[in-house]
Amino acid sequence: MTSLEFTSQVQKISSSLRPVAMNLTRDADDAKDLVQETLLKALLNKDKFKAGTNLKAWLYTIMRNTFINNYNKITKRSSNIDSTEYFQYFNTDENYITHNGATTDFVVRDINEAIASLGSDYRTPFMMYYIGYKYLEIAEKLQIPIGTVKNRIHIARKDLKAALHVYAPAGASRASTTEEAED
């Protein structure tokens, strides 16, 4: 088979490659690229095609293998992400780094004291909500209206925020004081 005959037959079959490429890639642009790459490989390797065999099947095989190779390249590239540059910025805020175990003990003690200082009308709904109860479940268990439950939890959170303001990130305490001034 001459080069001209080979090119002519490949050109005739090329239109039947597009639907298969679309089925593989699920994207019109990627399908066009896959067909072009398949045709380029076929024309570059025309000497490997044996006359008398199925040219269409040969082109489909080239396309399938090209798709698989491209897919493998993409998945390998995306799974080997160098994240060392990202991790140097991860959790660098000094408020979140514990340098001493005693500091954690102080924080936990302060939180427990702040919760204990809440009145039982506020502490009970707040702790139930913290454990995972929904507003409606708390209202049913305590036999109070759901609006009252929401209000008590809101007040408890506000009181805890005020009691634990020393642990607020820099800038957050200034924002909360301006909010309270507006209320």
Side-chain angles (χ1 to χ4, degrees):
M1 178 182 300
T2 66
S3 293
L4 188 58
E5 291 173 340
F6 181 81
T7 306
S8 169
Q9 287 184 5
V10 167
Q11 195 172 19
K12 288 177 188 173
I13 297 172
S14 67
S15 61
S16 67
L17 295 175
R18 286 183 181 86
V20 176
M22 187 64 183
N23 193 21
L24 288 171
T25 62
R26 308 269 190 238
D27 182 68
D29 292 333
D30 290 341
K32 287 178 186 175
D33 291 344
L34 181 59
V35 169
Q36 284 181 348
E37 195 171 348
T38 302
L39 295 175
L40 177 65
K41 286 182 179 182
L43 294 173
L44 291 174
N45 295 298
K46 65 183 168 217
D47 55 310
K48 294 180 182 176
F49 177 72
K50 295 177 185 166
T53 59
N54 189 345
L55 179 61
K56 196 174 191 179
W58 188 68
L59 291 172
Y60 284 152
T61 302
I62 292 172
M63 185 181 342
R64 187 192 70 228
N65 291 340
T66 302
F67 173 75
I68 291 169
N69 290 340
N70 289 343
Y71 179 80
N72 287 337
K73 284 179 191 174
I74 290 169
T75 56
K76 282 182 183 177
R77 190 179 320 139
S78 65
S79 65
N80 294 332
I81 297 173
D82 182 20
S83 56
T84 54
E85 186 176 322
Y86 170 74
F87 283 124
Q88 74 184 15
Y89 301 110
F90 188 68
N91 269 351
T92 57
D93 190 349
E94 290 298 318
N95 292 329
Y96 298 110
I97 298 174
T98 304
H99 298 286
N100 184 345
T103 305
T104 305
D105 293 341
F106 286 126
V107 172
V108 170
R109 188 187 73 219
D110 288 349
I111 291 171
N112 288 334
E113 286 176 4
I115 291 172
S117 72
L118 293 172
S120 65
D121 287 347
Y122 300 104
R123 182 177 54 247
T124 303
F126 174 79
M127 289 307 296
M128 290 176 76
Y129 181 75
Y130 176 75
I131 291 169
Y133 285 94
K134 305 287 183 216
Y135 290 126
L136 189 59
E137 294 171 328
I138 297 168
E140 290 172 357
K141 284 215 183 250
L142 298 178
Q143 297 178 346
I144 55 177
I146 193 167
T148 304
V149 169
K150 290 179 179 181
N151 186 40
R152 288 181 182 176
I153 292 172
H154 172 74
I155 291 171
R157 291 176 71 183
K158 190 175 174 183
D159 289 350
L160 289 173
K161 186 176 178 181
L164 300 169
H165 73 278
V166 294
Y167 298 109
S173 59
R174 279 183 259 127
S176 64
T177 55
T178 56
E179 288 173 9
E180 291 172 6
E182 292 173 0
D183 289 341

CSV table of all heavy atoms in Angstrom, one decimal, residues 14 17-42 59-71:
chain,number,residue,atom,x,y,z
A,14,SER,N,-11.4,8.4,9.6
A,14,SER,CA,-11.2,9.4,10.7
A,14,SER,C,-12.6,9.9,11.3
A,14,SER,O,-12.7,10.1,12.5
A,14,SER,CB,-10.4,10.5,10.3
A,14,SER,OG,-11.0,11.3,9.3
A,17,LEU,N,-13.9,7.8,14.1
A,17,LEU,CA,-13.1,7.8,15.3
A,17,LEU,C,-13.7,8.8,16.3
A,17,LEU,O,-13.6,8.6,17.5
A,17,LEU,CB,-11.7,8.2,15.0
A,17,LEU,CG,-10.9,7.2,14.2
A,17,LEU,CD1,-9.5,7.7,13.9
A,17,LEU,CD2,-10.8,5.8,14.9
A,18,ARG,N,-14.3,9.9,15.8
A,18,ARG,CA,-14.8,10.9,16.8
A,18,ARG,C,-15.8,10.5,17.8
A,18,ARG,O,-15.7,10.8,19.0
A,18,ARG,CB,-15.3,12.1,15.9
A,18,ARG,CG,-14.2,12.9,15.3
A,18,ARG,CD,-14.8,14.1,14.5
A,18,ARG,NE,-13.7,14.8,13.9
A,18,ARG,CZ,-13.2,14.5,12.7
A,18,ARG,NH1,-13.7,13.5,12.0
A,18,ARG,NH2,-12.2,15.2,12.2
A,19,PRO,N,-16.8,9.7,17.4
A,19,PRO,CA,-17.8,9.2,18.5
A,19,PRO,C,-17.1,8.3,19.5
A,19,PRO,O,-17.4,8.4,20.7
A,19,PRO,CB,-18.8,8.5,17.7
A,19,PRO,CG,-18.7,8.9,16.3
A,19,PRO,CD,-17.3,9.3,16.1
A,20,VAL,N,-16.2,7.5,19.1
A,20,VAL,CA,-15.5,6.7,20.0
A,20,VAL,C,-14.6,7.5,21.0
A,20,VAL,O,-14.6,7.3,22.2
A,20,VAL,CB,-14.6,5.6,19.3
A,20,VAL,CG1,-13.8,4.8,20.3
A,20,VAL,CG2,-15.5,4.7,18.4
A,21,ALA,N,-14.0,8.5,20.4
A,21,ALA,CA,-13.1,9.4,21.3
A,21,ALA,C,-14.0,10.1,22.3
A,21,ALA,O,-13.6,10.3,23.4
A,21,ALA,CB,-12.4,10.4,20.4
A,22,MET,N,-15.2,10.6,21.8
A,22,MET,CA,-16.1,11.3,22.7
A,22,MET,C,-16.6,10.4,23.8
A,22,MET,O,-16.7,10.8,25.0
A,22,MET,CB,-17.3,11.8,21.9
A,22,MET,CG,-18.2,12.7,22.7
A,22,MET,SD,-17.4,14.2,23.2
A,22,MET,CE,-18.6,14.9,24.1
A,23,ASN,N,-16.8,9.1,23.5
A,23,ASN,CA,-17.2,8.1,24.5
A,23,ASN,C,-16.1,7.9,25.5
A,23,ASN,O,-16.4,7.8,26.7
A,23,ASN,CB,-17.6,6.8,23.8
A,23,ASN,CG,-18.3,5.9,24.7
A,23,ASN,OD1,-18.9,6.3,25.7
A,23,ASN,ND2,-18.3,4.6,24.4
A,24,LEU,N,-14.9,7.9,25.1
A,24,LEU,CA,-13.8,7.7,26.0
A,24,LEU,C,-13.5,8.9,26.9
A,24,LEU,O,-13.4,8.8,28.1
A,24,LEU,CB,-12.5,7.4,25.2
A,24,LEU,CG,-12.4,6.0,24.6
A,24,LEU,CD1,-11.2,6.0,23.7
A,24,LEU,CD2,-12.3,4.9,25.6
A,25,THR,N,-13.5,10.1,26.3
A,25,THR,CA,-13.1,11.3,27.0
A,25,THR,C,-14.2,12.1,27.7
A,25,THR,O,-14.0,12.8,28.7
A,25,THR,CB,-12.4,12.3,26.1
A,25,THR,OG1,-13.3,12.7,25.1
A,25,THR,CG2,-11.2,11.7,25.5
A,26,ARG,N,-15.4,12.0,27.2
A,26,ARG,CA,-16.6,12.7,27.7
A,26,ARG,C,-16.5,14.2,27.6
A,26,ARG,O,-17.1,14.9,28.4
A,26,ARG,CB,-16.9,12.3,29.1
A,26,ARG,CG,-17.0,10.8,29.4
A,26,ARG,CD,-18.4,10.4,29.3
A,26,ARG,NE,-18.6,9.0,29.7
A,26,ARG,CZ,-19.0,8.0,29.0
A,26,ARG,NH1,-19.4,8.2,27.8
A,26,ARG,NH2,-19.1,6.8,29.5
A,27,ASP,N,-15.6,14.6,26.7
A,27,ASP,CA,-15.4,16.1,26.5
A,27,ASP,C,-15.0,16.3,25.0
A,27,ASP,O,-14.2,15.6,24.5
A,27,ASP,CB,-14.2,16.5,27.4
A,27,ASP,CG,-14.0,18.0,27.3
A,27,ASP,OD1,-14.8,18.8,27.7
A,27,ASP,OD2,-12.9,18.4,26.7
A,28,ALA,N,-15.7,17.3,24.4
A,28,ALA,CA,-15.6,17.5,23.0
A,28,ALA,C,-14.2,17.9,22.6
A,28,ALA,O,-13.6,17.4,21.6
A,28,ALA,CB,-16.6,18.6,22.5
A,29,ASP,N,-13.6,18.8,23.4
A,29,ASP,CA,-12.2,19.3,23.0
A,29,ASP,C,-11.2,18.1,23.2
A,29,ASP,O,-10.3,18.0,22.4
A,29,ASP,CB,-11.8,20.5,23.9
A,29,ASP,CG,-12.6,21.7,23.6
A,29,ASP,OD1,-13.1,21.8,22.4
A,29,ASP,OD2,-12.8,22.6,24.4
A,30,ASP,N,-11.3,17.4,24.3
A,30,ASP,CA,-10.4,16.3,24.6
A,30,ASP,C,-10.6,15.2,23.5
A,30,ASP,O,-9.6,14.6,23.1
A,30,ASP,CB,-10.6,15.7,25.9
A,30,ASP,CG,-10.2,16.6,27.1
A,30,ASP,OD1,-9.4,17.5,26.8
A,30,ASP,OD2,-10.6,16.4,28.2
A,31,ALA,N,-11.8,15.0,23.0
A,31,ALA,CA,-12.1,14.0,22.0
A,31,ALA,C,-11.4,14.4,20.7
A,31,ALA,O,-10.8,13.6,20.0
A,31,ALA,CB,-13.6,13.9,21.7
A,32,LYS,N,-11.5,15.7,20.3
A,32,LYS,CA,-10.8,16.2,19.1
A,32,LYS,C,-9.3,16.0,19.2
A,32,LYS,O,-8.6,15.6,18.3
A,32,LYS,CB,-11.1,17.7,18.9
A,32,LYS,CG,-12.5,18.0,18.4
A,32,LYS,CD,-12.7,19.5,18.3
A,32,LYS,CE,-14.2,19.7,18.0
A,32,LYS,NZ,-14.5,21.2,17.9
A,33,ASP,N,-8.7,16.3,20.4
A,33,ASP,CA,-7.3,16.1,20.6
A,33,ASP,C,-6.9,14.7,20.5
A,33,ASP,O,-5.9,14.3,19.9
A,33,ASP,CB,-6.9,16.7,22.0
A,33,ASP,CG,-7.0,18.2,22.1
A,33,ASP,OD1,-7.0,18.8,21.1
A,33,ASP,OD2,-7.0,18.7,23.3
A,34,LEU,N,-7.7,13.8,21.0
A,34,LEU,CA,-7.4,12.3,21.0
A,34,LEU,C,-7.5,11.8,19.6
A,34,LEU,O,-6.6,11.1,19.1
A,34,LEU,CB,-8.4,11.6,21.9
A,34,LEU,CG,-8.2,10.1,21.9
A,34,LEU,CD1,-6.9,9.7,22.5
A,34,LEU,CD2,-9.3,9.4,22.8
A,35,VAL,N,-8.4,12.3,18.8
A,35,VAL,CA,-8.5,11.9,17.4
A,35,VAL,C,-7.3,12.4,16.6
A,35,VAL,O,-6.6,11.6,15.8
A,35,VAL,CB,-9.8,12.4,16.7
A,35,VAL,CG1,-9.8,12.2,15.2
A,35,VAL,CG2,-11.0,11.7,17.3
A,36,GLN,N,-6.9,13.6,16.8
A,36,GLN,CA,-5.7,14.2,16.2
A,36,GLN,C,-4.5,13.4,16.5
A,36,GLN,O,-3.6,13.1,15.7
A,36,GLN,CB,-5.6,15.7,16.5
A,36,GLN,CG,-6.5,16.6,15.8
A,36,GLN,CD,-6.3,18.0,16.1
A,36,GLN,OE1,-5.6,18.4,17.1
A,36,GLN,NE2,-6.9,18.9,15.4
A,37,GLU,N,-4.3,13.1,17.8
A,37,GLU,CA,-3.1,12.4,18.2
A,37,GLU,C,-3.1,11.0,17.7
A,37,GLU,O,-2.1,10.5,17.3
A,37,GLU,CB,-3.1,12.4,19.8
A,37,GLU,CG,-1.8,11.9,20.4
A,37,GLU,CD,-1.7,12.1,21.9
A,37,GLU,OE1,-2.6,12.8,22.5
A,37,GLU,OE2,-0.8,11.6,22.5
A,38,THR,N,-4.3,10.4,17.6
A,38,THR,CA,-4.4,9.0,17.0
A,38,THR,C,-4.0,9.1,15.5
A,38,THR,O,-3.2,8.2,15.1
A,38,THR,CB,-5.8,8.5,17.1
A,38,THR,OG1,-6.2,8.5,18.5
A,38,THR,CG2,-6.0,7.1,16.5
A,39,LEU,N,-4.5,10.0,14.8
A,39,LEU,CA,-4.2,10.1,13.3
A,39,LEU,C,-2.7,10.4,13.1
A,39,LEU,O,-2.1,9.9,12.2
A,39,LEU,CB,-5.0,11.2,12.7
A,39,LEU,CG,-6.5,10.9,12.6
A,39,LEU,CD1,-7.3,12.1,12.1
A,39,LEU,CD2,-6.8,9.6,11.8
A,40,LEU,N,-2.1,11.3,14.0
A,40,LEU,CA,-0.7,11.6,13.9
A,40,LEU,C,0.1,10.4,14.1
A,40,LEU,O,1.1,10.1,13.4
A,40,LEU,CB,-0.3,12.7,14.9
A,40,LEU,CG,1.1,13.1,14.9
A,40,LEU,CD1,1.6,13.7,13.6
A,40,LEU,CD2,1.4,14.1,16.1
A,41,LYS,N,-0.2,9.6,15.2
A,41,LYS,CA,0.5,8.4,15.4
A,41,LYS,C,0.4,7.4,14.3
A,41,LYS,O,1.4,6.7,13.9
A,41,LYS,CB,0.1,7.7,16.8
A,41,LYS,CG,0.6,8.5,18.0
A,41,LYS,CD,0.1,7.8,19.2
A,41,LYS,CE,0.7,8.6,20.5
A,41,LYS,NZ,0.3,7.9,21.7
A,42,ALA,N,-0.8,7.3,13.7
A,42,ALA,CA,-1.0,6.3,12.6
A,42,ALA,C,-0.2,6.7,11.4
A,42,ALA,O,0.4,5.9,10.8
A,42,ALA,CB,-2.5,6.3,12.3
A,59,LEU,N,-6.6,1.6,14.0
A,59,LEU,CA,-6.8,3.0,14.5
A,59,LEU,C,-7.4,3.0,15.8
A,59,LEU,O,-7.1,3.8,16.7
A,59,LEU,CB,-7.5,3.8,13.5
A,59,LEU,CG,-6.8,4.1,12.1
A,59,LEU,CD1,-7.7,4.7,11.1
A,59,LEU,CD2,-5.6,4.9,12.4
A,60,TYR,N,-8.5,2.2,16.0
A,60,TYR,CA,-9.1,2.1,17.3
A,60,TYR,C,-8.2,1.7,18.4
A,60,TYR,O,-8.2,2.2,19.6
A,60,TYR,CB,-10.4,1.2,17.3
A,60,TYR,CG,-11.6,1.7,16.6
A,60,TYR,CD1,-12.5,0.9,16.0
A,60,TYR,CD2,-11.8,3.1,16.6
A,60,TYR,CE1,-13.6,1.4,15.3
A,60,TYR,CE2,-13.0,3.6,15.9
A,60,TYR,CZ,-13.8,2.7,15.3
A,60,TYR,OH,-14.9,3.2,14.7
A,61,THR,N,-7.3,0.7,18.1
A,61,THR,CA,-6.3,0.3,19.1
A,61,THR,C,-5.4,1.4,19.5
A,61,THR,O,-5.0,1.6,20.7
A,61,THR,CB,-5.6,-1.0,18.6
A,61,THR,OG1,-6.5,-2.0,18.3
A,61,THR,CG2,-4.6,-1.5,19.6
A,62,ILE,N,-4.9,2.1,18.5
A,62,ILE,CA,-4.0,3.3,18.7
A,62,ILE,C,-4.7,4.3,19.6
A,62,ILE,O,-4.1,4.8,20.6
A,62,ILE,CB,-3.6,3.9,17.4
A,62,ILE,CG1,-2.6,3.0,16.6
A,62,ILE,CG2,-2.8,5.2,17.7
A,62,ILE,CD1,-2.3,3.5,15.2
A,63,MET,N,-6.0,4.6,19.3
A,63,MET,CA,-6.7,5.6,20.1
A,63,MET,C,-6.9,5.1,21.5
A,63,MET,O,-6.7,5.9,22.5
A,63,MET,CB,-8.1,5.8,19.5
A,63,MET,CG,-8.8,6.9,20.2
A,63,MET,SD,-10.5,7.4,19.6
A,63,MET,CE,-10.6,6.8,18.0
A,64,ARG,N,-7.3,3.8,21.7
A,64,ARG,CA,-7.5,3.3,23.1
A,64,ARG,C,-6.2,3.4,23.9
A,64,ARG,O,-6.2,3.8,25.0
A,64,ARG,CB,-8.0,1.9,23.0
A,64,ARG,CG,-8.4,1.4,24.4
A,64,ARG,CD,-8.7,-0.1,24.4
A,64,ARG,NE,-7.4,-0.8,24.2
A,64,ARG,CZ,-7.2,-1.8,23.4
A,64,ARG,NH1,-8.1,-2.2,22.6
A,64,ARG,NH2,-6.0,-2.3,23.3
A,65,ASN,N,-5.1,3.0,23.3
A,65,ASN,CA,-3.8,3.0,24.0
A,65,ASN,C,-3.4,4.4,24.3
A,65,ASN,O,-2.8,4.7,25.4
A,65,ASN,CB,-2.8,2.2,23.2
A,65,ASN,CG,-3.0,0.7,23.1
A,65,ASN,OD1,-3.8,0.2,23.9
A,65,ASN,ND2,-2.5,0.1,22.1
A,66,THR,N,-3.6,5.3,23.4
A,66,THR,CA,-3.3,6.7,23.6
A,66,THR,C,-4.1,7.3,24.7
A,66,THR,O,-3.6,8.0,25.6
A,66,THR,CB,-3.5,7.5,22.3
A,66,THR,OG1,-2.8,7.0,21.3
A,66,THR,CG2,-3.2,9.0,22.5
A,67,PHE,N,-5.4,7.0,24.8
A,67,PHE,CA,-6.2,7.4,25.8
A,67,PHE,C,-5.8,6.9,27.2
A,67,PHE,O,-5.7,7.6,28.2
A,67,PHE,CB,-7.7,7.0,25.6
A,67,PHE,CG,-8.6,7.3,26.8
A,67,PHE,CD1,-9.0,8.6,27.0
A,67,PHE,CD2,-9.0,6.3,27.6
A,67,PHE,CE1,-9.8,8.9,28.1
A,67,PHE,CE2,-9.8,6.6,28.7
A,67,PHE,CZ,-10.2,7.9,28.9
A,68,ILE,N,-5.5,5.6,27.2
A,68,ILE,CA,-5.0,5.0,28.5
A,68,ILE,C,-3.7,5.6,29.0
A,68,ILE,O,-3.5,5.9,30.1
A,68,ILE,CB,-4.9,3.5,28.3
A,68,ILE,CG1,-6.3,2.8,28.2
A,68,ILE,CG2,-4.2,2.8,29.5
A,68,ILE,CD1,-6.3,1.4,27.8
A,69,ASN,N,-2.8,5.8,28.0
A,69,ASN,CA,-1.5,6.4,28.4
A,69,ASN,C,-1.6,7.8,28.9
A,69,ASN,O,-1.0,8.2,29.9
A,69,ASN,CB,-0.5,6.4,27.2
A,69,ASN,CG,0.0,5.0,26.9
A,69,ASN,OD1,-0.1,4.1,27.7
A,69,ASN,ND2,0.4,4.8,25.6
A,70,ASN,N,-2.5,8.6,28.3
A,70,ASN,CA,-2.7,10.0,28.7
A,70,ASN,C,-3.4,10.0,30.1
A,70,ASN,O,-3.1,10.8,30.9
A,70,ASN,CB,-3.6,10.7,27.7
A,70,ASN,CG,-2.8,11.1,26.4
A,70,ASN,OD1,-1.6,11.0,26.4
A,70,ASN,ND2,-3.6,11.4,25.4
A,71,TYR,N,-4.3,9.1,30.3
A,71,TYR,CA,-5.0,9.0,31.6
A,71,TYR,C,-4.0,8.6,32.7
A,71,TYR,O,-4.1,9.2,33.8
A,71,TYR,CB,-6.2,7.9,31.5
A,71,TYR,CG,-6.9,7.8,32.8
A,71,TYR,CD1,-7.9,8.7,33.2
A,71,TYR,CD2,-6.6,6.7,33.7
A,71,TYR,CE1,-8.5,8.5,34.4
A,71,TYR,CE2,-7.2,6.6,34.9
A,71,TYR,CZ,-8.2,7.5,35.2
A,71,TYR,OH,-8.9,7.3,36.4
